[in-house]
Amino acid sequence: MKNTFVRFIMVGVVNTLVGLSVMFLLLHGPGLSYWLSTFLGNSVGACVSFFLNRRFTFRSEVSVLKGLPRFGLIILSCYFISYSMGENLVQGLLNNNGMITSKVKTDLAVLISTFLYTMLNYLSQKLLVFHKRETLL
């Protein structure tokens, strides 16, 4: 499998399943709060994502000490950029449309933002976190 984007999506499915499992385990096991459970679950999912993307998706030799801070910054940046863009796009295009409910507009913003996030995150990780150096002979 040579396509890094397909591998990236596969890793996304795995880290989502791991993160959600941790969230529900913490919510229903020890009964941790919503915010603590979701934060810890997302953190575990992000760690899984980093290590799988490093080895499986991009087959990168970048060190953990160098790659992990970049990865965290990319995740946060992509989140804020994408979800702001998606929300602003939907508001700009559909704000005056009284036939579409607020809930539908929010759902559309989430879908558009998720697409933007996936694309921006993939490109950023490929180019800025797990890039391969070309060696000159």
Side-chain angles (χ1 to χ4, degrees):
M1 193 178 345
K2 300 225 181 237
N3 189 325
T4 57
F5 186 71
V6 171
R7 292 193 307 257
F8 183 79
I9 295 300
M10 291 169 61
V11 166
V13 169
V14 170
N15 73 46
T16 298
L17 291 173
V18 169
L20 284 172
S21 297
V22 170
M23 284 178 213
F24 286 120
L25 178 69
L26 294 174
L27 276 170
H28 299 291
L32 297 182
S33 72
Y34 169 82
W35 289 109
L36 187 56
S37 297
T38 56
F39 178 79
L40 293 173
N42 279 319
S43 297
V44 170
C47 289
V48 168
S49 178
F50 173 79
F51 288 104
L52 288 178
N53 280 323
R54 181 173 171 251
R55 287 291 179 206
F56 174 70
T57 304
F58 300 111
R59 295 183 173 117
S60 175
E61 297 298 322
V62 69
S63 72
V64 173
L65 290 176
K66 185 175 182 180
L68 197 55
R70 286 184 187 173
F71 179 83
L73 184 59
I74 293 295
I75 293 288
L76 289 172
S77 298
C78 289
Y79 171 77
F80 287 113
I81 291 168
S82 300
Y83 283 82
S84 294
M85 286 176 62
E87 182 182 41
N88 289 334
L89 183 63
V90 168
Q91 283 180 356
L93 293 175
L94 301 175
N95 195 30
N96 294 327
N97 189 331
M99 295 176 61
I100 300 176
T101 66
S102 170
K103 183 175 167 85
V104 170
K105 290 176 188 175
T106 299
D107 290 346
L108 284 171
V110 168
L111 291 173
I112 292 168
S113 300
T114 299
F115 173 78
L116 294 171
Y117 175 83
T118 300
M119 294 307 190
L120 185 58
N121 189 23
Y122 169 74
L123 291 172
S124 298
Q125 285 191 38
K126 183 174 182 165
L127 299 173
L128 302 173
V129 180
F130 301 114
H131 64 282
K132 293 185 180 190
R133 289 187 190 177
E134 299 294 326
T135 55
L136 301 174
L137 299 175

